[in-house]
Amino acid sequence: MNAPLNDRGVIHRYRRFLPVTDATPVVSLSEGSTPLLHSPRLSERTGAEVYLKFEGLNPTGSFKDRGMTVAISKAVEHGARTVICASTGNTSAAAAAYAARAGVQCAVILPAGKIAVGKLAQAFVYGAKVVAIRGNFDDALRIVREFGGVEGVAIVNSINPDRIEGQKTASFEVIDDLGDAPDLHFLPVGNAGNITAYWKGYKEFHAAGRSTRLPRMVGFQAAGSAPIFRGAPVERPETVATAIRIGNPASWQGASDAVSESGGCIDIVSDEEILAAQAWLASNEGIFVEPASAASVAGLLKCLSGQPCSKCPLATALRPGARIVLTVTGHGLKDTETALTFGGFVPKEADATLEAVRAVLEGN
Ligand SMILES: *Cc1c(COP(=O)(O)O)cnc(C)c1O
């Protein structure tokens, strides 16, 4: 049933740890096995060894593909003819692509006007039916949940446990690349499925004897949509980082457990810090990520700037030789508009002569 060229995705690589059987048709686009890039400049600034797990290099440009290969494979196994999701953008891109691959219908419910244009284009081009609601992500998810009982329809949001199962493979890869778990793992938090999944993955590999330790999990929410940090749902979440613009996370409990069990914390970063980190990462390390992804980098830079919060585990964990992994969750090409606007980037024009071009390059 599995075509040979499909044999490179996360189900193939970590089948033994995933809820699949020989009866599961593997729907894959060769997701996962993303690079864990050493960051010389962040390492220098922290005195630790800092690595970036670049999830933008998945087939649709975000980590959502890891969960989607499992969720869509299982949905097809159970006879689904339509998959549906609420999305801030990347879930819909992944759902639409994997549904196309599987030959099933895909419906996506989005908050109108709040989706980065690259992600919206993906949903349409992969052939999804797109409905933009006059409401936010939390409203979209409420509507999707109501489709739960409909015959032949499978929900592929991260409330579907198969998504979490697939996403935990990122932790497996980190351990396989480093030879052990890191001391700290930083990542952005929106609906909180991913921090839940990473922690599950770290615990499973540890229990299987594949690592000697567990990392502290450190999650960053955008200051304008930080329900977990603040301890209450946010009715009108706002942030330029649309992928984490969520006021009432579905995996709130999972995130709380991850930070309390691991001795980590949830902190916040401002939109300015997020955009500055995005620009810093691109121009200093050559890695272009979308704004939400930069929350992990913004978080590390914030911690380094001298005011760690009282619960911050960095004070003890940040020592020479410590290993810190930052997940950067999605590709920068998803949302070029934000990057261009924030940077004020407009090409300078010149006459078509060497002198004119040199004058511009030299700033005259
Ligand atoms: C979905 C997403 C997030 C947030 O992940 P959660 O599992 O919702 O916490 C962060 N960054 C990007 C790029 C995403 O697509």
Side-chain angles (χ1 to χ4, degrees):
M1 194 171 282
N2 305 341
L5 286 177
N6 266 355
D7 276 355
R8 287 167 199 279
V10 299
I11 294 178
H12 174 71
R13 188 166 175 189
Y14 296 112
R15 168 175 281 271
R16 189 155 95 62
F17 294 89
L18 295 171
V20 295
T21 66
D22 289 346
T24 313
V26 177
V27 182
S28 172
L29 290 163
S30 256
E31 60 293 319
S33 301
T34 53
L36 186 67
L37 297 163
H38 184 250
S39 171
R41 289 179 182 82
L42 287 173
S43 299
E44 197 182 299
R45 287 176 74 161
T46 52
E49 290 308 317
V50 180
Y51 298 87
L52 299 155
K53 182 69 171 157
F54 190 13
E55 290 288 277
L57 295 186
N58 275 296
T60 76
S62 85
F63 73 83
K64 299 296 199 297
D65 295 338
R66 291 179 186 277
M68 211 52 80
T69 181
V70 179
I72 302 268
S73 297
K74 293 302 284 182
V76 172
E77 180 183 348
H78 294 136
R81 291 178 306 279
T82 300
V83 297
I84 188 167
C85 64
S87 182
T88 59
N90 284 331
T91 295
S92 61
Y98 283 79
R101 187 83 176 167
V104 298
Q105 287 282 335
C106 177
V108 304
I109 317 294
L110 311 167
K114 298 292 183 181
I115 303 296
V117 71
K119 303 175 189 179
L120 191 62
Q122 285 179 295
F124 279 116
V125 174
Y126 289 130
K129 289 191 175 154
V130 179
V131 183
I133 57 157
R134 289 179 283 275
N136 60 31
F137 171 83
D138 304 287
D139 297 316
L141 185 56
R142 172 176 49 78
I143 293 164
V144 164
R145 283 179 194 271
E146 290 168 19
F147 277 90
V150 179
E151 164 72 21
V153 177
I155 298 173
V156 294
N157 279 103
S158 57
I159 54 172
N160 176 338
D162 296 329
R163 282 273 312 278
I164 306 293
E165 290 300 310
Q167 284 171 210
K168 77 187 178 190
T169 59
S171 297
F172 297 167
E173 291 177 12
V174 169
I175 291 171
D176 281 344
D177 283 352
L178 291 180
D180 205 344
D183 298 272
L184 289 160
H185 194 117
F186 281 40
L187 76 173
V189 172
N191 216 18
N194 212 28
I195 191 169
T196 303
Y198 268 87
W199 182 235
K200 187 166 195 288
Y202 278 126
K203 286 195 296 190
E204 285 184 12
F205 251 32
H206 187 249
R210 306 272 284 257
S211 67
T212 67
R213 62 173 99 135
L214 291 163
R216 292 168 187 253
M217 302 299 299
V218 185
F220 290 92
Q221 300 195 291
S225 11
I228 303 176
F229 176 80
R230 300 190 196 288
V234 174
E235 202 160 315
R236 285 189 196 77
E238 278 308 337
T239 171
V240 68
T242 49
I244 52 172
R245 184 174 170 273
I246 289 170
N248 193 8
S251 298
W252 192 318
Q253 190 60 48
S256 300
D257 292 348
V259 298
S260 65
E261 290 172 26
S262 73
C265 68
I266 299 281
D267 199 357
I268 52 170
V269 282
S270 69
D271 278 5
E272 293 67 35
E273 288 168 326
I274 287 172
L275 293 171
Q278 180 193 30
W280 186 91
L281 192 63
S283 59
N284 285 281
E285 300 282 29
I287 301 169
F288 183 25
V289 302
E290 69 166 280
S293 309
S296 54
V297 179
L300 180 62
L301 295 175
K302 178 188 167 186
C303 294
L304 285 176
S305 71
Q307 290 150 343
C309 65
S310 57
K311 291 171 288 181
C312 184
L314 269 181
T316 51
L318 245 188
R319 49 178 175 76
R323 295 201 283 195
I324 308 176
V325 173
L326 276 57
T327 299
V328 285
T329 44
H331 205 288
L333 292 175
K334 295 260 189 185
D335 183 6
T336 50
E337 205 181 331
T338 302
L340 287 171
T341 308
F342 175 70
F345 296 125
V346 185
K348 292 194 180 95
E349 289 191 14
D351 290 335
T353 66
L354 175 64
E355 299 72 45
V357 170
R358 284 185 70 167
V360 170
L361 288 176
E362 285 157 15
N364 303 319

